[in-house]
Amino acid sequence: MSLSFEGRVVLVTGAGGGLGREYALDFAKRGASVVVNDLGADTKGGGKSSAAADKVVEEIKAKGGKAVANYDSVEDGEKLIQAALDSFGRIDIVVNNAGILRDRSFPRTSDLDWDLIQRIHLRGSFLVTRAAWNHMKNQKFGRIIMTASAAGIYGNFGQANYSAAKLGMLGLANTLAIEGRKYNIHCNTIAPVAGSRLTETVMPPDLVASLKPEYVSPLVLWLCHDQCQENGGLFEVGAGWIGKLRWERSRGRIVRQKNQPMNPEAVRDQWDKICDFTDATKPASTGESLQSMVSVLLQLESQETVGANPTAASASAVSTSGINPAIGQKLPPSTFNFNHIQCILYALGVGMSTKDPDHLRFLYEGHPDFSCLPTFGVIPSQAAMMDGGLSSVPGLNIDFTQVLHGEQYLELYKPLPTSGELTSQATIADVLDKGSGAVIILDVNTYSRGELVCFNQFSVFVVGAGGFGGKRTSEKAKAVLPPPQRAPDAVVIDSTTRDQAALYRLSGDWNPLHIDPSFAAMGGFQAPILHGLCSFGFAARHVLKQFAANDPSRFKSIKVRFVKPVLPGQSLQTEMWKEGNRIHIQSKVKETDAVVLSGAYIDLHATSEASPENLPQGGGLQSELVFEEIRRRIKDLGSELVKKVNAVFSWEITKDGKNAAQWTIDLKNGGGALHKGPYPGKADLTFTVSDENFVQMVQGKLNPQKAFFSGKLKARGNIMLSQKLEVILKDYAKL
Ligand code: NAI
């Protein structure tokens, strides 16, 4: 159906020519009563004539339309609106279009050049719109157009005055859009391009003739129609094309540390990151803008400092050593997409072969039990660390050629899928000072469709970065365990090939140390060395075969310490001791008898034990997993959280409209706790939400504020505390 403006009263300012004339004609053609305003000034704002407006009114009337002329300046805003009321009894639509130019290079811009431009464009639009506002508000309908310009959006030589006024109008529109919303008053801004007397001085005549005002006008009509719900938009329009603009903001960087002054050097050092638009966000309100600042405050607040009580001397050593990362600092989340090819390539990388028929389930995607080797779980999480992850941490100015992989822990919560998308979130769990070097403990949670699949802990040794007065041990570190003092229960000897590292690196560890002889020589090695995680993969699959019949669902966790390098082509001897469901491991290079993996062990699920996949998940509730993750975090960081949060939150989880579970996070008492079921005490804030919506919120797919306003999330108690809750869910569940 065609868009009609029957019954609507429209004021178009500066409608004696150019774009304004076109709007006036078009509105009138579609039934509107139009006030054709034009002062009849020259392009610089001088002179006055009624001829321009009269001519357009005549044109409209000749075609059977309704129009009256008005010759006042937009600086007399009330009079323009009065003209509409006098002639047609109401005002529905205001198109702020009147304009002049007084172009000068900036130093030559006089006070008058400046003031006149602000007065006509910005102040004029303010006065006219303010005069119309209450009428629109009372009738619960209003449509306002502001006319900005590319010169304002992007800047243009010689138009400092005009650019400032034009973007000022956008600012005005942004706020009117917010204030008008509840009265059905919408305000949008256009930056048009059209041939007119204003542009004929700057554009070649052909272009002036081709860029017709009629290629702009339909956007204005649409934005002013009842059906159009657009509000607060900014559009570039010309030549029959329309595009919408919005703000984009880089992810940015936090450049200060808790309790330390912010300085320009830190800004300089992070400049590239501050200005990097990768994964940029698009904030659309001051609320969103402020929210990110508040979350920075909360994030900084929850940081620990390195060393419990650094003395002045050690504190200065910390800052000079280059290792002063915020513990608890998150690395950018990373996404890992894979399919059977990566699984098979990894299996080949850790020495699986079709020579062993029972390896086929890891090498052939058509195998009925085709599976991913459990230790593949290190690959996606390593990607989180490698893709610039560690180097993005403020305060972690380490020499990456001096980094050694010290230890690794991996725990699976369910068997790995053989394809899909995994998301990993890495956190600096702790930083230790070992004198000769620093150890960075990095915890990585990896999720598949929001479900926690595995947890990795990397211990990274940075040679030469110690001596900053930090602690030597961490309760967060997963410990290595010595093997029993008896002969091993099983020994498997397996040769690596000359190309083992060349093959393994295709799974994602591209460090030239493992392929480039000259690079290896620089590191003091006689030849490129095998990846520590490759030997780790060898050892793990030896255990899986020996004690779990190659059943990946039996695998629970593995811990190893990397002691010495292995050269591709050497044979690995894995010695295994079974102690219940724990298999202790030691790996040696057979040719040299050198221990390469020590203190290592694998925990298996007992045969009778159901695999975690089959465990009942709280009556099929997805939220159960999130709470279990929170429970783990409270165990690790409980007292710290109690200090920061000091509140009790209850969650009533519903499923299919019925109460399905209740969880209470107590971050007030003792070292913090998670309760399942009815809570004996009093919660400070209680939420009721469905299982699906809860998980969506934690995954960041559902905005909690929106959920609250749409009734999907109900809350009772001290709502202000929800700020803190976001920190817990975001930082500690991190799905
Ligand atoms: P135009 O010069 O043809 O139209 C502007 C009209 O405003 C004139 O008829 C003029 O007499 C009138 N006017 C000037 N001062 C007035 C006042 N104090 N009170 C009432 N009327 C007054 O120019 P055009 O190109 O049609 O421009 C329309 C609007 O679009 C202006 O705001 C201009 O800045 C803006 N614009 C135009 C672009 C283009 O490519 N034509 C580019 C970017 C913005």
Side-chain angles (χ1 to χ4, degrees):
M1 230 182 49
S2 64
L3 298 172
S4 163
F5 286 88
E6 206 65 54
R8 293 288 177 214
V9 177
V10 184
L11 163 67
V12 183
T13 70
L19 285 162
R21 170 181 167 274
E22 191 67 33
Y23 306 152
L25 292 172
D26 284 352
F27 275 117
K29 206 190 294 171
R30 288 171 182 265
S33 306
V34 183
V35 177
V36 178
N37 158 267
D38 208 297
L39 181 66
D42 63 32
T43 53
K44 292 197 161 121
K48 193 172 178 353
S49 146
S50 55
D54 284 343
K55 198 157 166 275
V56 176
V57 171
E58 274 161 35
E59 264 185 85
I60 292 174
K61 287 193 167 155
K63 290 180 188 154
K66 303 173 279 278
V68 291
N70 170 275
Y71 319 115
D72 292 309
S73 166
V74 286
E75 290 191 79
D76 293 313
E78 293 280 352
K79 293 188 183 164
L80 277 68
I81 299 302
Q82 199 54 51
L85 300 175
D86 290 348
S87 306
F88 304 115
R90 57 187 289 138
I91 179 72
D92 298 298
I93 295 166
V94 170
V95 183
N96 290 295
N97 166 78
I100 56 167
L101 285 178
R102 291 179 77 94
D103 294 357
R104 296 270 190 282
S105 66
F106 180 60
R108 294 178 55 231
T109 304
S110 69
D111 288 8
L112 187 64
D113 293 332
W114 179 266
D115 292 345
L116 215 51
I117 288 290
Q118 310 305 320
R119 274 166 45 196
I120 306 303
H121 290 274
L122 184 53
R123 192 160 190 275
S125 301
F126 155 65
L127 291 167
V128 172
T129 307
R130 189 182 60 182
W133 191 263
N134 280 339
H135 301 285
M136 294 178 167
K137 187 175 154 184
N138 293 338
Q139 72 203 14
K140 291 236 169 357
F141 179 86
R143 295 288 185 266
I144 298 158
I145 298 290
M146 296 291 173
T147 309
S149 160
I153 298 169
Y154 306 108
N156 199 22
F157 191 93
Q159 293 196 310
N161 52 356
Y162 181 76
S163 307
K166 285 306 199 189
L167 218 58
M169 291 172 71
L170 176 65
L172 173 61
N174 286 341
T175 293
L176 297 189
I178 294 168
E179 291 195 19
R181 184 172 294 134
K182 67 172 181 238
Y183 307 115
N184 190 21
I185 304 175
H186 295 171
C187 184
N188 289 289
T189 306
I190 61 163
V193 173
S196 75
R197 64 179 202 164
L198 279 192
T199 43
E200 67 192 5
T201 51
V202 289
M203 282 185 197
D206 280 2
L207 206 56
V208 171
S210 328
L211 290 168
K212 298 186 198 310
E214 64 206 62
Y215 301 147
V216 172
S217 182
L219 169 65
V220 170
L221 266 73
W222 165 240
L223 289 172
C224 292
H225 198 269
D226 307 38
Q227 286 176 18
C228 180
Q229 291 309 303
E230 185 70 36
N231 187 21
L234 170 64
F235 301 87
E236 282 188 82
V237 51
W241 168 88
I242 303 164
K244 186 172 181 181
L245 284 87
R246 67 181 173 193
W247 292 100
E248 193 177 48
R249 184 174 67 183
S250 74
R251 290 235 157 235
R253 273 291 178 278
I254 301 177
V255 293
R256 74 176 177 93
Q257 312 261 317
K258 186 181 179 183
N259 298 336
Q260 286 181 28
M262 182 166 165
N263 58 57
E265 289 76 17
V267 179
R268 174 197 59 200
D269 296 344
Q270 294 292 327
W271 195 244
D272 287 352
K273 298 280 183 198
I274 291 167
C275 301
D276 180 357
F277 275 88
T278 312
D279 297 330
T281 58
K282 293 162 185 84
S285 67
T286 48
E288 275 180 60
S289 161
L290 186 65
Q291 204 174 21
S292 34
M293 309 291 166
V294 172
S295 72
V296 168
L297 289 178
L298 292 169
Q299 208 173 318
L300 284 171
E301 198 44 46
S302 64
Q303 278 178 6
E304 283 180 26
T305 36
V306 175
N309 267 316
T311 61
S314 63
S316 76
V318 169
S319 51
T320 51
S321 76
I323 294 264
N324 188 17
I327 293 165
Q329 177 79 43
K330 305 271 175 269
L331 274 57
S334 89
T335 309
F336 179 83
N337 282 293
F338 73 113
N339 58 27
H340 62 278
I341 298 176
Q342 280 81 2
C343 303
I344 295 170
L345 196 58
Y346 174 81
L348 291 169
V350 297
M352 293 210 120
S353 159
T354 52
K355 275 188 299 195
D356 293 287
D358 60 339
H359 286 179
L360 219 52
R361 68 179 292 177
F362 301 106
L363 295 174
Y364 172 41
E365 72 287 359
H367 191 281
D369 295 321
F370 178 59
S371 310
C372 190
L373 270 174
T375 47
F376 182 75
V378 298
I379 301 294
S381 62
Q382 196 181 28
M385 193 172 65
M386 308 275 268
D387 301 341
L390 261 190
S391 56
S392 72
V393 177
L396 199 60
N397 304 318
I398 49 176
D399 176 355
F400 280 88
T401 64
Q402 297 303 307
V403 168
L404 298 173
H405 195 168
E407 294 179 15
Q408 183 72 27
Y409 176 80
L410 163 70
E411 183 169 348
L412 296 190
Y413 301 107
K414 56 189 304 183
L416 294 169
T418 52
S419 65
E421 183 175 280
L422 299 174
T423 312
S424 294
Q425 176 64 64
T427 308
I428 308 253
D430 224 338
V431 179
L432 308 179
D433 185 350
K434 297 284 188 186
S436 62
V439 171
I440 300 168
I441 300 177
L442 195 72
D443 284 354
V444 188
N445 280 322
T446 299
Y447 303 90
S448 167
R449 295 204 212 132
E451 277 190 54
L452 186 61
V453 175
C454 63
F455 167 77
N456 274 273
Q457 185 176 75
F458 292 81
S459 298
V460 179
F461 191 79
V462 190
V463 181
F468 54 85
K471 56 184 174 182
R472 284 191 69 84
T473 55
S474 168
E475 66 289 351
K476 290 173 189 156
K478 302 282 178 188
V480 286
L481 296 173
Q485 302 268 340
R486 61 168 197 268
D489 300 324
V491 178
V492 172
I493 298 172
D494 207 350
S495 54
T496 65
T497 71
R498 178 73 172 76
D499 290 319
Q500 204 70 54
L503 186 58
Y504 181 83
R505 65 194 295 276
L506 302 183
S507 285
D509 184 341
W510 305 101
N511 189 339
L513 178 64
H514 306 292
I515 186 90
D516 183 340
S518 54
F519 194 92
M522 279 191 313
F525 298 105
Q526 63 185 85
I529 58 171
L530 195 61
H531 304 70
L533 282 177
C534 180
S535 315
F536 162 98
F538 266 76
R541 68 174 176 75
H542 291 157
V543 171
L544 199 66
K545 177 166 176 159
Q546 190 71 33
F547 294 102
N550 274 330
D551 176 0
S553 71
R554 297 272 319 275
F555 182 96
K556 185 167 176 235
S557 57
I558 176 169
K559 169 77 193 186
V560 307
R561 173 177 286 166
F562 303 105
V563 188
K564 278 212 165 105
V566 177
L567 294 177
Q570 290 181 321
S571 298
L572 282 167
Q573 174 170 322
T574 309
E575 300 166 350
M576 298 168 257
W577 292 261
K578 184 169 176 351
E579 294 277 286
N581 287 320
R582 174 161 291 168
I583 316 296
H584 292 269
I585 321 165
Q586 175 167 274
S587 289
K588 290 179 174 165
V589 168
K590 181 169 180 293
E591 289 80 0
T592 61
D593 208 34
V595 174
V596 291
L597 301 181
S598 75
Y601 61 87
I602 286 181
D603 283 340
L604 296 172
H605 293 290
T607 5
S608 54
E609 205 179 296
S611 83
E613 197 179 33
N614 304 326
L615 283 176
Q617 313 239 320
L621 294 181
Q622 287 175 282
S623 53
E624 178 107 3
L625 267 176
V626 178
F627 283 109
E628 286 308 336
E629 166 68 0
I630 290 172
R631 188 194 296 285
R632 227 160 57 81
R633 293 292 163 168
I634 292 177
K635 220 170 110 207
D636 287 354
L637 300 165
S639 18
E640 187 193 321
L641 286 172
V642 168
K643 238 187 291 156
K644 307 261 150 60
V645 177
N646 194 34
V648 178
F649 302 96
S650 250
W651 292 88
E652 291 167 358
I653 304 290
T654 63
K655 179 97 189 163
D656 303 325
K658 294 191 198 91
N659 278 351
Q662 182 175 347
W663 294 92
T664 303
I665 305 175
D666 177 353
L667 294 176
K668 206 172 200 172
N669 306 303
L674 178 74
H675 295 263
K676 192 173 181 186
Y679 182 63
K682 187 177 170 327
D684 295 298
L685 181 56
T686 302
F687 296 96
T688 308
V689 65
S690 75
D691 187 46
E692 299 80 44
N693 287 336
F694 175 79
V695 172
Q696 288 214 337
M697 263 175 349
V698 180
Q699 288 170 345
K701 291 182 191 155
L702 176 65
N703 177 311
Q705 271 162 16
K706 281 196 189 143
F708 180 72
F709 286 117
S710 64
K712 288 181 178 166
L713 173 70
K714 297 201 173 67
R716 15 181 238 280
N718 183 353
I719 298 277
M720 289 310 287
L721 288 170
S722 56
Q723 273 283 15
K724 294 185 173 185
L725 187 76
E726 190 166 337
V727 176
I728 307 168
L729 290 178
K730 269 215 175 114
D731 285 7
Y732 298 103
K734 205 73 217 181
L735 289 179

